[in-house]
Amino acid sequence: MPELTYREAVRDALSRAMREDDDVFIMGEDIAEMGGSMAVTQGMLAEFGPDRVRNTPISEMAIVGAGIGAAMQGMRPVVEIMYEDFTTLAMEQIVNQAAKHRYMSGGQLKVPLVVRTQGGAGWSPGAQHAQQVEAWFVHVPGLKVVFASTPEDVRGLLWSSIYDDNTVVFFEHRTLYPIKGDVPEKLEPIPLGKARVHREGEDVTVISTGRLVHEALKAAEEAEKEGVSVEVIDPRTLLPLDEEALVESVKKTNRCVVAHEAVVRMGFGAEVAAVIQYQAFDWLDAPIERVGSKFTPLPFAPVMEEFVIPHASDVLDAIRRTVGRG
């Protein structure tokens, strides 16, 4: 079983799809000769040529709009928005066009488009290049939303997203690109809407996404030293959401912590907490705890950035509170 970085796993999924299917192509700002701002598409221009690895003007609306048109004509484009903060510039195309055409045409049109984007703090990018905005898109009927946290998951989920007949907004986290993991030689698609249990436990369930999956696993190790058994679940697909897996875990542990890097207020964790409260209320032995960034634009100064975003210690504090030790 080869070891790949998260970055290499994304590239592998894209390259394999393009080798097997001439309808798959990629486009975005600086993705060709430069290989993308995060070096994800390095080397792909040499293999596939400029017709299938296409640099675009600096216009997110044009990138997504062209992708929608290509998808409606039978292609399977993967477009890259350099930072997820910049999805704001393509919001009309994503929310009002890509998400709506299949429904409004009565299924006569399909929009099999993947909008890849990345963000996240941890490297002092400042307030306009590191927001976590996945909750915005979970609010839109007609879209699917994916946020992978490991090399194995990012490859399998990206493959499934490329071959979904709906538009998928596919989130990656900047600080996860260097992490390594065992990835099977054979590419196994991961169904959208299927959560993953990273660690089984008995006392509290931590539901986490993106970078916070790894912080939650660190917190779980520390909690174990204190005699607290923690189950860690990654939804992987935010929309559709594997509600059954999350609810069953909480029914087993009777406690729940929801953790993500986005700000707490109106973050994805609010929806998860609502699902758990509605479907597992009678099993809860403590209030649901939510962990996320403080409600402020992300500071540029490293020490202030570290203060604003959540870490394993914040997840551990939430675990302690929910078991009555905080």
Side-chain angles (χ1 to χ4, degrees), residues 38-250:
M38 300 299 158
V40 170
T41 55
Q42 278 187 351
M44 295 185 67
L45 176 64
E47 180 175 357
F48 300 105
D51 287 341
R52 300 183 68 199
V53 181
R54 305 180 70 95
N55 280 335
T56 65
I58 304 175
S59 172
E60 284 71 21
M61 178 174 280
I63 295 167
V64 176
I68 292 169
M72 290 170 63
Q73 291 297 315
M75 305 292 283
R76 291 191 176 272
V78 180
V79 302
E80 179 179 304
I81 303 299
M82 189 179 291
Y83 293 91
E84 63 188 80
D85 313 65
F86 304 163
T87 57
T88 54
L89 298 163
M91 203 61 124
E92 199 281 332
Q93 293 292 319
I94 298 171
V95 171
N96 288 331
Q97 306 303 325
K100 304 295 193 293
H101 284 313
R102 191 173 188 186
Y103 175 81
M104 293 177 68
S105 69
Q108 296 178 79
L109 293 173
K110 298 176 183 178
V111 191
L113 168 69
V114 178
V115 181
R116 274 190 56 244
T117 189
Q118 65 82 34
W123 55 295
S124 297
Q128 297 173 326
H129 293 77
Q131 296 174 82
Q132 297 279 265
V133 300
E134 62 274 9
W136 296 354
F137 298 97
V138 176
H139 192 65
V140 180
L143 296 177
K144 294 187 177 181
V145 182
V146 177
F147 196 176
S149 64
T150 69
E152 179 183 358
D153 286 350
V154 79
R155 188 178 70 165
L157 289 166
L158 182 52
W159 181 275
S160 295
S161 298
I162 292 170
Y163 286 99
D164 197 290
D165 285 335
N166 301 282
T167 295
V168 180
V169 184
F170 197 94
F171 288 94
E172 300 159 17
H173 195 285
R174 166 68 177 83
T175 63
L176 296 182
Y177 285 127
I179 68 168
K180 295 182 178 180
D182 292 331
V183 180
E185 181 65 36
K186 181 181 178 182
L187 194 155
E188 295 288 349
I190 297 174
L192 303 188
K194 185 69 174 176
R196 176 180 177 181
V197 178
H198 281 271
R199 177 190 176 109
E200 295 190 354
E202 301 295 331
D203 297 326
V204 57
T205 296
V206 178
I207 301 168
S208 50
T209 60
R211 180 182 67 85
L212 263 292
V213 172
H214 302 274
E215 298 300 303
L217 289 168
K218 294 175 187 176
E221 292 179 5
E222 291 301 314
E224 187 175 29
K225 298 175 185 177
E226 301 175 9
V228 180
S229 175
V230 179
E231 184 149 295
V232 178
I233 298 185
D234 177 4
R236 300 194 294 194
T237 306
L238 311 188
L239 186 68
L241 179 65
D242 190 354
E243 296 184 11
E244 182 179 358
L246 308 185
V247 169
E248 288 305 309
S249 176
V250 174

Side-chain angles (χ1 to χ4, degrees), residues 12-31:
D12 190 49
L14 293 172
S15 297
R16 290 193 190 210
M18 291 175 69
R19 290 182 195 120
E20 295 184 17
D21 189 345
D22 289 341
D23 288 335
V24 180
F25 71 97
I26 59 177
M27 61 181 176
E29 296 164 8
D30 293 329
I31 68 165

